[in-house]
Amino acid sequence: MSPRTSTIWTFAITSVALFMTTLDNLVVTTALPVIRKDLDASLSGLEWTVNAYTLTFAVLLLTGAALGDRFGRRRLFTIGLAIFTLASAAAALAPSIEVLIAARALQGLGGAIVTPLTLTILSAAVPAERRGLVLGAWGGISGLAVAIGPLVGGAVVQGISWQWIFWLNVPIGLALIPLAALRLRESRGPNDALDLPGVGLASAGLLGIVWGLVRGNSVGWGSLEIVSSLFAGLRILPWTAMPIFVAPLAGALSDRIGGRPLMVTGLALQAIGLAWIGFVTTPTGAYSHVVAPFVLSGIGMALYFAPVANVVLSSVKPEEEGQASGANNAIRELGGVFGVAVLASVFAHYGGYGTGQSFVDGLTPAIYVGAGLVAAGALAALGVARRRQPQEMQAYEQVLEAA
């Protein structure tokens, strides 16, 4: 198999796996009202249907990457796919909310193994000079899953049944498992020994943080109808769909100019977009008022996420990419949970769901806080090392050899 063909197979397999695991983190929210009726679930049970996946996924990302370094990334990737596929079937067949929660936790385990290894395996299969382009496309695939997750979930639940949001994973997983075993190249990390104390401490620390965050705001789901609304999914598409189109272009551009200017620009645009949303939001405001800031925020998000994986992996030795990938994904998941917890607390402090005005009273300061945090991130991104030009790299290597 030629290197080009191998790269194409690697990209296809890892992208489909990433899409499947990312999508499954989102589609279940649209099925919550139906699950509540079919399984006679309480609000707490519905909460844990979501949190069981989030907890295991976020906490075990580092473990999945470390196991791949130790026992082989292709082998663990295949095992992770098998776990995820088996758990999806178990979720579809769940006779009670307790069984569904257990299956979702098992799904999170499989996803935690698969997701970081998609990045590591793909990065190893691509030449360094084209890594930004390919990883930008990888980010676009993830963005696509985020964008259409609520739409897919709503369509499946409305057109077939909630069980099919899990059954859909089974044929995909069964097809990917032999392809991964036959088409992916095996690789390992630098150390044969698994740092069990380090993995245990990191996982325990993440568990404590994520557990506290998901339980800290356990005050009810609000309106399940709003959460599951298909119009809601469509209206937010101007934001969430932007990475699909922008991320591949930004990834290719990062190969030429480096990741720092794109990351700084992306975070700045997202901060401006968020502040704009907060400024124009009113109880009676038209949807058209937020379309432009949605698009601006989506472009900014894509400009940041496209090069960040390349920047992270380029900052470590090739044999350390597995650990870096796991840490990058774990921090991203932790940031998402932390952001929801913090902004929900701000919202609850200043407003609520009682009236349109009280909702805006809580939403506006929460959005401004989010904009401020993203703006701080833009300033922090200025500290990312500048990309060295080829002649600079040659001189740098000569200095190292002389030393």
Side-chain angles (χ1 to χ4, degrees):
M1 187 166 53
S2 67
R4 179 180 177 82
T5 303
S6 176
T7 299
I8 292 173
W9 272 110
T10 302
F11 178 77
I13 293 169
T14 56
S15 295
V16 173
L18 175 69
F19 181 85
M20 181 175 65
T21 55
T22 303
L23 186 72
D24 217 71
N25 198 10
L26 299 167
V27 294
V28 72
T29 58
T30 59
L32 291 177
V34 182
I35 292 174
R36 180 180 64 85
K37 294 179 180 178
D38 283 3
L39 300 183
D40 193 25
S42 64
L43 288 179
S44 176
L46 294 179
E47 178 183 9
W48 279 106
T49 302
V50 177
N51 287 344
Y53 186 96
T54 302
L55 276 170
T56 53
F57 184 75
V59 169
L60 297 176
L61 278 166
L62 287 173
T63 304
L67 289 173
D69 284 349
R70 171 63 179 85
F71 297 107
R73 292 162 182 161
R74 181 184 64 185
R75 177 182 299 173
L76 261 294
F77 180 78
T78 306
I79 291 173
L81 285 173
I83 294 173
F84 190 87
T85 303
L86 176 64
S88 296
L93 294 170
S96 66
I97 192 65
E98 291 79 13
V99 175
L100 178 59
I101 291 171
R104 288 284 290 166
L106 193 62
Q107 272 192 314
L109 169 60
I113 296 173
V114 169
T115 301
L117 293 179
T118 61
L119 181 57
T120 310
I121 293 171
L122 182 59
S123 175
V126 179
E129 63 273 12
R130 297 183 62 82
R131 181 182 284 175
L133 172 63
V134 174
L135 294 187
W138 176 87
I141 296 295
S142 178
L144 175 64
V146 171
I148 70 172
L151 298 178
V152 171
V156 171
V157 171
Q158 187 176 33
I160 312 177
S161 69
W162 67 265
Q163 287 88 348
W164 276 93
I165 64 177
F166 302 113
W167 278 129
L168 289 175
N169 296 327
V170 176
I172 298 174
L174 291 177
L176 285 177
I177 290 169
L179 286 175
L182 295 173
R183 297 289 184 174
L184 297 182
R185 183 174 62 86
E186 185 61 284
S187 62
R188 287 179 169 82
N191 300 317
D192 291 334
L194 182 63
D195 182 14
L196 288 175
V199 169
L201 286 173
S203 299
L206 286 172
L207 174 62
I209 295 171
V210 176
W211 179 278
L213 291 174
V214 299
R215 295 298 294 161
N217 288 297
S218 182
V219 292
W221 284 88
S223 173
L224 288 173
E225 289 76 14
I226 291 176
V227 173
S228 63
S229 172
L230 186 64
F231 293 134
L234 289 172
R235 286 180 171 229
I236 204 171
L237 274 180
W239 186 338
T240 57
M242 284 301 104
I244 303 171
F245 308 104
V246 178
L249 300 176
L253 188 60
S254 72
D255 285 330
R256 302 183 60 184
I257 66 174
R260 182 175 67 172
L262 293 174
M263 293 168 64
V264 173
T265 302
L267 289 169
L269 289 178
Q270 191 170 15
I272 293 170
L274 287 171
W276 189 352
I277 293 170
F279 181 74
V280 300
T281 298
T282 63
T284 58
Y287 168 69
S288 59
H289 294 169
V290 296
V291 172
F294 273 7
V295 172
L296 188 66
S297 297
I299 293 173
M301 184 170 64
L303 288 177
Y304 171 76
F305 279 114
V308 69
N310 195 16
V311 169
V312 169
L313 296 183
S314 299
S315 66
V316 299
K317 299 176 182 178
E319 61 268 20
E320 297 172 341
E321 288 183 352
Q323 302 168 37
S325 172
N328 179 52
N329 282 280
I331 292 171
R332 182 180 64 187
E333 290 298 315
L334 178 61
V337 176
F338 180 77
V340 170
V342 170
L343 298 187
S345 296
V346 175
F347 173 84
H349 180 74
Y350 289 99
Y353 291 100
T355 64
Q357 185 60 55
S358 66
F359 182 84
V360 171
D361 290 342
L363 178 67
T364 301
I367 290 179
Y368 283 143
V369 169
L373 292 173
V374 175
L379 294 176
L382 290 171
V384 174
R386 179 175 66 90
R387 179 175 183 243
R388 292 188 176 93
Q389 299 299 321
Q391 60 269 26
E392 293 179 287
M393 286 296 299
Q394 184 177 3
Y396 179 69
E397 290 172 358
Q398 290 174 349
V399 170
L400 291 179
E401 290 176 359

